[in-house]
Amino acid sequence: MPSWQKSLVMVGMLSCSLTGSLYLLGHEWQIERVLFANHTVLVSHGLSAMLATLALGSILPFHIKAGYQSGRKGLSGFSQLFFMLILLITGGLLYYGPAETRDLVIYVHWVVGLGFFATFLCHVVIKWGLPNLQKSTVK
C-alpha cells in the first residue's frame, strides 16, 4: 500500500476503535462517565467510523486481493472483513433499527468492535502467516 493509504487505514481504524472503546468505558462500564460517555465522544466515534469505512473501501480492490494471493495473514484479514460487515450493519441498526432490538444490537456492536480492534492490532503488528505446510519429500 502507498504511505497515504496506510496512514488513512491506521488513522481511520485506530480512531474509530479508540473512540468506541472510550465510549464503551464511559457508557457501559460507568468509568469516568462524565468524560467518556458524552456526546462529543459519540460524535467522534461516528465520524471516525465514516473515515474507517472510507479506508476499508480504499483497500478492497488491491490490498485484499494481494493479501489473498500471497497467502499471508488471511485469518486476521478475513476476520477483519467479517467484523467490519457486522459493525457496519449494527452501526446502521443503532440509528435506524427498531427500538426493541437496541439493547441486543449495542451488545453485539461492542463485542464485535473489541474483537475487530484486537484482530486489527494483531494484523498490523504480529506476523499471522502460518508456516508453509508443504509436504516434504522423504527419500
Side-chain angles (χ1 to χ4, degrees):
M1 276 192 288
S3 61
W4 69 266
Q5 197 172 31
K6 284 182 186 177
S7 298
L8 176 67
V9 170
M10 294 299 283
V11 169
M13 300 302 175
L14 290 176
S15 64
C16 189
S17 295
L18 292 174
T19 56
S21 297
L22 289 176
Y23 190 78
L24 175 64
L25 289 172
H27 189 263
E28 294 296 322
W29 292 329
Q30 311 295 319
I31 298 173
E32 295 295 329
R33 186 177 180 108
V34 174
L35 180 63
F36 293 147
N38 66 26
H39 183 70
T40 305
V41 175
L42 189 58
V43 168
S44 299
H45 182 58
L47 292 173
S48 62
M50 292 176 201
L51 183 63
T53 304
L54 178 70
L56 174 65
S58 79
I59 66 168
L60 280 173
F62 303 108
H63 180 74
I64 294 171
K65 181 181 176 184
Y68 178 73
Q69 289 175 343
S70 77
R72 295 182 56 236
K73 299 185 184 183
L75 178 62
S76 63
F78 284 107
S79 295
Q80 287 179 85
L81 276 177
F82 175 74
F83 289 151
M84 283 293 287
L85 176 64
I86 301 300
L87 289 169
L88 288 168
I89 292 169
T90 56
L93 287 172
L94 287 172
Y95 284 94
Y96 304 113
E100 302 82 38
T101 63
R102 186 167 173 77
D103 288 338
L104 174 63
V105 172
I106 289 171
Y107 179 77
V108 170
H109 190 77
W110 73 256
V111 168
V112 172
L114 291 174
F116 172 81
F117 191 22
T119 306
F120 178 75
L121 292 176
C122 289
H123 187 74
V124 171
V125 175
I126 298 173
K127 303 288 184 195
W128 274 45
L130 296 175
N132 192 355
L133 299 176
Q134 294 177 352
K135 292 183 180 180
S136 60
T137 55
V138 179
K139 295 184 179 184

